[in-house]
Amino acid sequence: MSDGVITLLDPRLGWALLCLFGLLWVFLGWYWGRRASSVDDFLLAGRKVGLALGTATAMATWVTSNTVMLAPVFALEKGLWGMVAYSTASFGLFLFAPLSRRIRTLMPEGHTSGDFMRLRYGKWAWYLFLVISMVYSVAWLVSMGTAGGKLMETLAGIPYFHGVTSILLVCVIYTLFGGMYAVIGTDFIQSAIILAGVLLVGSLVVIRTDLRALYDTMAVEQPSLINALMPVALLSLFNNMFFGFGEVFHNNVWWSRAHAMRAEVAPRAFFLSGLLWFPIPIAAGFIALSATSLGVNVIDPNTVGPLVAGQVLGKVGAVLVFVVVFCSLASSIDSLLAATSDLLLQDLGKKILGISSEPSRFRLYSKFIIILLGFLTWVLCALEMDLLQILFLSGPLVASAIWPIIAGLYWNRAHWLAAVLAMLLGSALGLWAYFQIGWYTASLISSVVSMAVIFVSVPFCRQTFDWKKLHE
Amino acid sequence: MSNLHVAELFVFIPFAVMKWMIYLSLTGVGLGLLILIVLFIRDWKGGRLW
């Protein structure tokens, strides 16, 4: 407890859990990191990751603190459709499965998503893509750091800034030790803990809650939550799906995984991870529906999930939620740190600034960028921004990259100018929609505009791209 | 009951749908955990983890 605020866990227990899991991740990061003997090992785990670890790392990376904390917010504000809306983000993983096969075929020695944009469309599309990707990656990192800090404060009374600092410090340290080996290894354990925790919390809430009474309360007090035609919920369903496509298709987190897995494993691993991910937002989100019937005083909607779990399950629920969210945070922050530093190093450092690619120096630069990214995230987290705002503001940017990537991978007549215009116009109109209409339309409008530009341009393009140019 | 309320009855998602949505999602999460463990054992025995 701090400043007279009642918390669900004793702060000492919160700190103990934080230290216990923090030390475990650092130890495992060091242990698996010993395998990394070359730069390729450090950045892409040797390019031979199997199905089990590949599936787990894709799933765990996609289960972010946002999944565990925002899925209940969606349920609380948009009802049953809201829960399904969040689950549609898994479609990004399903559709990335065939893309990953194509990526491995076209670029067997590729490193980053930036490599593809540079070789396929040239420098202007590449520059624009790097800006979009960096804005999104930093926004994602900050949203997770903020969520983690808020959770520590709500559950255990750990001051917000102390919580953020601890989480980021742990993730930076073990990513530094082991690179992609550490990230993928810890992701497996974290994904198992997340699945077990969500299953346990969800099952206990179902056992201890009268679902019929819950439904009846909603029908009387908040009928919009069970309204099959709630416009905002239906729009958010499609918006979230396209946001998910944009997030997965463009971000180096997924491209680096496609390059890290064995070529034949990548499509199966992404498809399976989508299947495993789909039920998680519903299982984690539905507990928020009981907030009204339980009389939970929700001051900050972002913390409704942990609050209800704590109310229904007491200390056990609070501990479980604490552990699940900590694992979700770590599994995504480490992936983003590794993949974004890879993107910055390969694209900005090597290709634009021309830094030395001598192995020992390259690895040193990579570690320096991981520390720099962690520090930047830490500074931005101090602003305590709204989770939804952080996440969805970057939605139209990434959604504008969906069609340039798909067209670039499959159509040899997709032109660089069309890709640039698609990303520029899609982002601009998507951001306009975000501020003028609402966040639940931004990604949808951005992807539709981007699609229209690409489709209209193809018949006018006379040049055909030689796929061999992607073999660098 | 006004016409508006009668209309609302037809747009409500039924209780059974909500209940099974929750049950199936929990089953899915449990199956996911099982699949991960089985895959891990298979890859580990076959030397295909990394």
Side-chain angles (χ1 to χ4, degrees):
Chain A
M1 271 175 245
S2 63
D3 301 332
V5 177
I6 297 169
T7 55
L8 300 167
L9 281 180
D10 187 298
R12 282 171 299 183
L13 182 57
W15 277 113
L17 288 169
L18 201 61
C19 292
L20 180 74
F21 281 93
L23 287 172
L24 179 67
W25 303 145
V26 170
F27 169 74
L28 291 174
W30 165 79
Y31 179 76
W32 279 309
R34 294 180 308 164
R35 303 175 69 93
S37 54
S38 67
V39 175
D40 238 23
D41 282 352
F42 188 77
L43 298 176
L44 295 172
R47 296 183 189 262
K48 286 190 294 187
V49 174
L51 187 59
L53 295 181
T55 305
T57 190
M59 194 216 80
T61 302
W62 210 211
V63 181
T64 67
S65 55
N66 298 329
T67 316
V68 183
M69 292 180 75
L70 282 184
V73 179
F74 266 57
L76 183 75
E77 295 174 351
K78 293 170 197 69
L80 298 182
W81 275 130
M83 299 190 306
V84 180
Y86 211 103
S87 283
T88 58
S90 64
F91 296 175
L93 292 174
F94 289 135
L95 291 188
F96 195 69
L99 295 193
S100 68
R101 187 195 300 275
R102 183 81 175 152
I103 290 165
R104 290 305 302 262
T105 308
L106 294 176
M107 305 177 73
E109 299 301 317
H111 278 96
T112 66
S113 50
D115 279 344
F116 169 74
M117 291 303 275
R118 177 175 53 82
L119 296 168
R120 179 65 182 84
Y121 290 123
K123 65 177 181 180
W124 294 112
W126 177 44
Y127 291 159
L128 185 58
F129 177 81
L130 285 181
V131 171
I132 288 174
S133 196
M134 288 316 300
V135 168
Y136 168 75
S137 297
V138 172
W140 190 8
L141 271 169
V142 174
S143 75
M144 284 187 294
T146 309
K150 284 188 176 179
L151 176 96
M152 305 286 161
E153 201 168 37
T154 307
L155 281 182
I158 294 173
Y160 169 79
F161 208 63
H162 293 180
V164 170
T165 308
S166 313
I167 293 163
L168 288 174
L169 200 63
V170 166
C171 292
V172 167
I173 290 172
Y174 80 80
T175 310
L176 277 178
F177 275 137
M180 195 59 99
Y181 272 120
V183 170
I184 291 178
T186 50
D187 274 359
F188 182 83
I189 296 173
Q190 286 155 356
S191 59
I193 294 175
I194 291 166
L195 287 171
V198 169
L199 179 64
L200 206 56
V201 172
S203 304
L204 288 171
V205 171
V206 165
I207 290 166
R208 296 187 185 183
T209 312
D210 183 349
L211 289 180
R212 180 79 237 185
L214 171 70
Y215 183 87
D216 292 341
T217 309
M218 279 198 296
V220 174
E221 294 185 16
Q222 294 172 292
S224 63
L225 297 185
I226 50 171
N227 186 344
L229 301 176
M230 186 184 184
V232 175
L234 289 172
L235 273 172
S236 69
L237 194 138
F238 291 101
N239 186 73
N240 226 43
M241 193 191 307
F242 280 95
F243 185 10
F245 292 158
E247 284 179 291
V248 176
F249 290 3
H250 97 282
N251 200 274
N252 196 46
V253 162
W254 310 103
W255 283 69
S256 62
R257 270 155 185 72
H259 289 303
M261 293 176 209
R262 292 172 210 269
E264 73 280 8
V265 157
R268 280 187 289 153
F270 278 108
F271 186 80
L272 202 51
S273 64
L275 276 182
L276 264 58
W277 195 89
F278 182 81
I280 293 175
I282 300 173
F286 86 89
I287 57 173
L289 295 174
S290 51
T292 307
S293 62
L294 289 170
V296 175
N297 183 22
V298 182
I299 297 165
D300 179 1
N302 291 321
T303 56
V304 64
L307 279 175
V308 174
Q311 180 96 0
V312 177
L313 309 173
K315 194 174 270 187
V316 175
V319 169
L320 281 172
V321 171
F322 191 98
V323 172
V324 166
V325 177
F326 189 41
C327 289
S328 317
L329 283 164
S331 65
S332 305
I333 292 175
D334 62 2
S335 304
L336 260 175
L337 286 172
T340 311
S341 69
D342 186 19
L343 185 72
L344 279 171
L345 192 65
Q346 299 279 0
D347 289 70
L348 186 67
K350 196 170 160 185
K351 304 288 175 358
I352 297 177
L353 301 176
I355 62 164
S356 161
S357 55
E358 192 266 317
S360 62
R361 283 198 150 211
F362 210 61
R363 197 161 161 172
L364 198 68
Y365 290 140
S366 174
K367 291 186 172 184
F368 174 71
I369 293 173
I370 290 170
I371 294 171
L372 202 68
L373 267 176
F375 180 72
L376 177 69
T377 309
W378 181 68
V379 171
L380 291 173
C381 281
L383 302 173
E384 287 191 55
M385 291 176 276
D386 179 66
L387 287 183
L388 268 176
Q389 196 183 346
I390 297 167
L391 188 68
F392 289 107
L393 194 59
S394 60
L397 304 185
V398 297
S400 74
I402 296 173
W403 289 99
I405 287 171
I406 295 175
L409 279 170
Y410 289 98
W411 292 346
N412 59 6
R413 288 176 69 190
H415 196 266
W416 71 269
L417 188 59
V420 171
L421 284 175
M423 287 190 279
L424 276 178
L425 289 175
S427 297
L429 288 170
L431 284 173
W432 173 84
Y434 180 93
F435 290 109
Q436 296 299 320
I437 306 172
W439 65 264
Y440 44 86
T441 59
S443 301
L444 198 58
I445 287 177
S446 171
S447 57
V448 168
V449 170
S450 167
M451 180 182 74
V453 172
I454 293 286
F455 277 30
V456 167
S457 72
V458 168
F460 297 103
C461 184
R462 295 279 173 260
Q463 291 173 324
T464 52
F465 181 77
D466 178 8
W467 297 115
K468 285 179 187 157
K469 286 182 181 171
L470 292 174
H471 285 259
E472 193 177 47
Chain B
M1 192 179 282
S2 69
N3 285 339
L4 182 67
H5 288 142
V6 172
E8 276 179 350
L9 284 177
F10 291 98
V11 296
F12 279 175
I13 297 169
F15 169 68
V17 174
M18 181 186 96
K19 188 177 74 176
W20 281 105
M21 195 190 279
I22 293 166
Y23 287 170
L24 287 174
S25 69
L26 289 170
T27 310
V29 172
L31 276 175
L33 181 60
L34 199 64
I35 288 169
L36 268 192
I37 293 167
V38 169
L39 283 178
F40 183 84
I41 294 169
R42 195 199 63 159
D43 279 3
W44 182 51
K45 282 188 171 172
R48 294 188 299 251
L49 268 182
W50 297 100

